[in-house]
Amino acid sequence: CKESGEGSDEFCDCMADKADENLNDEQKEYVLAGIRGDEARATELQEEMGMENMEQVGAFMAGAFECGAAEAERQGT
């Protein structure tokens, strides 16, 4: 997250904390592949993980809005 420049340190730290709380290693790798734009690896992991794991990743990504909302509040937007 920080390497990509997609968010502030606070936003990236929030995302990392949520990932540690909610995702297994394979799911984290999938999310990171997406952030890095490694579509081939993301597709490979998606096929390996199955529907239940993908649903958990989807729930995690929906929860990321909490980090984004907190970030927007800090920035006063």
Side-chain angles (χ1 to χ4, degrees), residues 38-56:
D38 186 350
E39 293 179 30
R41 182 63 180 145
T43 299
E44 182 182 325
L45 287 164
Q46 183 176 2
E47 291 171 0
E48 292 173 8
M49 288 193 305
M51 185 59 78
E52 184 177 332
N53 280 315
M54 288 307 298
E55 288 173 356
Q56 290 173 341

Side-chain angles (χ1 to χ4, degrees), residues 1 5-6 8 10-11 14-15 19 23 30 32 35-36 38 42 44-45 48 52-53 55-56 58 60 63-65 74:
C1 180
E6 294 292 321
S8 69
E10 291 84 6
F11 174 78
C14 177
M15 291 293 291
L23 300 178
Y30 172 80
L32 286 174
I35 290 171
R36 293 180 178 142
D38 186 350
E44 182 182 325
L45 287 164
E48 292 173 8
E52 184 177 332
N53 280 315
E55 288 173 356
Q56 290 173 341
F60 164 77
F65 288 114
R74 274 193 295 279

Side-chain angles (χ1 to χ4, degrees), residues 4-21:
S4 70
E6 294 292 321
S8 69
D9 286 349
E10 291 84 6
F11 174 78
C12 292
D13 290 343
C14 177
M15 291 293 291
D17 289 344
K18 289 200 175 297
D20 284 340
E21 293 170 9

